[in-house]
Amino acid sequence: MPSLTELYEEIAACQRCELAKGRTQTVPGEGPENAEIMFIGEAPGFHEDRQGRPFVGAAGRFLEELLASIGLKREEVFICNVIKCRPPGNRDPLSDEIVACKPFLDKQIELIQPKLIVTLGRYSMARCFPNAQITHVHGQPKRIGGRIYYPMFHPAAALHQPKWRSAVEEDMRKIPQILKEAERLAEAEPLEQAEQLSLF
Ligand code: URA
């Protein structure tokens, strides 16, 4: 198992898909190696590609506001994306790009071992809830194995859609309680089947 630093070197050298050609740099993700919560977005945008850091544009500022509303700073959580390179013109990621990048996200999760994974938007939601619709499942934590997955709307979508903005704010407010439950369940037996947590 590589360390996070070795993994980031591997990501920086990646040529597995066409996105390697257009990127300024890769955006592997950032946060403490022992973070309890991991937020997974979609893909780097213009500013992320320039700075090599996730969520540094408008969506990032909104994510920071949302984190502050529950007393968290971005430095206290791990933030990354489903894909590590910016798609041209910020288009949606293609399925072959997601497949090519999947081993990197898998390794990040294995190394960080977060107790709670918050998926932001439908692309990261699809990792754990492949056939779900975000409008149906957002705000509902599920336990899969020893970990809780919690789907939320993407902050960028919520910034532009007032009805999703209040949903994303409300879903964020549930995180402290979900984290408490995640800490308790981390000690319990892992489950094979996804289980709906009846917290709310
Ligand atoms: N949107 C994302 O999904 N990820 C980022 O890093 C920035 C915006």
Side-chain angles (χ1 to χ4, degrees), residues 4 9 16 28 35-36 50 74 81 87 101-102 106 113 116 140-141 153 160 166 173 178 188:
L4 263 187
E9 283 166 9
R16 290 182 197 178
E36 291 199 312
R50 289 294 164 98
R74 71 176 280 152
N81 285 301
C101 225
K102 185 174 181 294
D106 289 345
Q113 292 286 338
L116 172 62
Q140 296 171 45
F153 286 113
H160 301 118
S166 51
R173 278 197 291 274
I178 298 170

Side-chain angles (χ1 to χ4, degrees), residues 123-199:
Y123 289 95
S124 58
M125 177 200 69
R127 235 188 99 84
C128 19
F129 309 109
N131 301 312
Q133 280 193 359
I134 195 156
T135 44
H136 293 158
V137 301
H138 76 92
Q140 296 171 45
K142 283 239 172 81
R143 181 184 175 205
I144 306 174
R147 188 163 286 140
I148 295 179
Y149 291 83
Y150 185 54
M152 285 180 45
F153 286 113
H154 195 287
L159 263 181
H160 301 118
Q161 295 272 349
K163 60 179 180 197
W164 290 347
R165 190 181 175 118
S166 51
V168 95
E169 288 168 348
E170 197 180 310
D171 291 349
M172 185 62 100
R173 278 197 291 274
K174 295 181 188 169
I175 285 184
Q177 197 187 337
I178 298 170
L179 186 61
K180 266 195 206 147
E181 185 66 3
E183 281 163 358
R184 194 183 67 74
L185 288 174
E187 315 294 320
E189 281 291 296
L191 279 186
E192 291 306 317
Q193 295 289 313
E195 179 195 55
Q196 180 84 48
L197 289 184
S198 48
L199 287 176

Side-chain angles (χ1 to χ4, degrees), residues 26-152:
T26 54
V27 184
E30 63 185 24
E33 289 201 22
N34 61 351
E36 291 199 312
I37 314 180
M38 177 186 271
F39 287 83
I40 309 177
E42 183 177 312
F46 175 84
H47 297 286
E48 289 78 17
D49 171 73
R50 289 294 164 98
Q51 295 184 37
R53 298 180 57 211
F55 283 95
V56 289
R61 281 192 295 281
F62 185 38
L63 179 59
E64 285 173 26
E65 263 177 49
L66 290 166
L67 286 169
S69 76
I70 55 166
L72 285 175
K73 296 197 180 75
R74 71 176 280 152
E75 299 76 38
E76 294 175 291
V77 300
F78 198 88
I79 304 176
C80 61
N81 285 301
V82 171
I83 62 171
K84 313 300 188 199
C85 296
R86 181 189 180 211
N90 294 350
R91 64 153 168 74
D92 289 345
L94 303 176
S95 52
D96 61 337
E97 293 159 358
I98 295 172
V99 169
C101 225
K102 185 174 181 294
F104 294 140
L105 183 54
D106 289 345
K107 277 190 208 143
Q108 268 175 323
I109 294 172
E110 239 177 289
L111 285 164
I112 292 157
Q113 292 286 338
K115 295 191 172 77
L116 172 62
I117 293 185
V118 181
T119 62
L120 301 172
R122 59 204 162 101
Y123 289 95
S124 58
M125 177 200 69
R127 235 188 99 84
C128 19
F129 309 109
N131 301 312
Q133 280 193 359
I134 195 156
T135 44
H136 293 158
V137 301
H138 76 92
Q140 296 171 45
K142 283 239 172 81
R143 181 184 175 205
I144 306 174
R147 188 163 286 140
I148 295 179
Y149 291 83
Y150 185 54
M152 285 180 45

Side-chain angles (χ1 to χ4, degrees), residues 1-45:
M1 173 73 82
S3 67
L4 263 187
T5 314
E6 284 164 340
L7 178 62
Y8 291 176
E9 283 166 9
E10 214 187 303
I11 293 173
C14 178
Q15 298 290 331
R16 290 182 197 178
C17 79
E18 289 291 300
L19 296 182
K21 293 194 183 121
R23 71 182 178 222
T24 306
Q25 58 196 309
T26 54
V27 184
E30 63 185 24
E33 289 201 22
N34 61 351
E36 291 199 312
I37 314 180
M38 177 186 271
F39 287 83
I40 309 177
E42 183 177 312

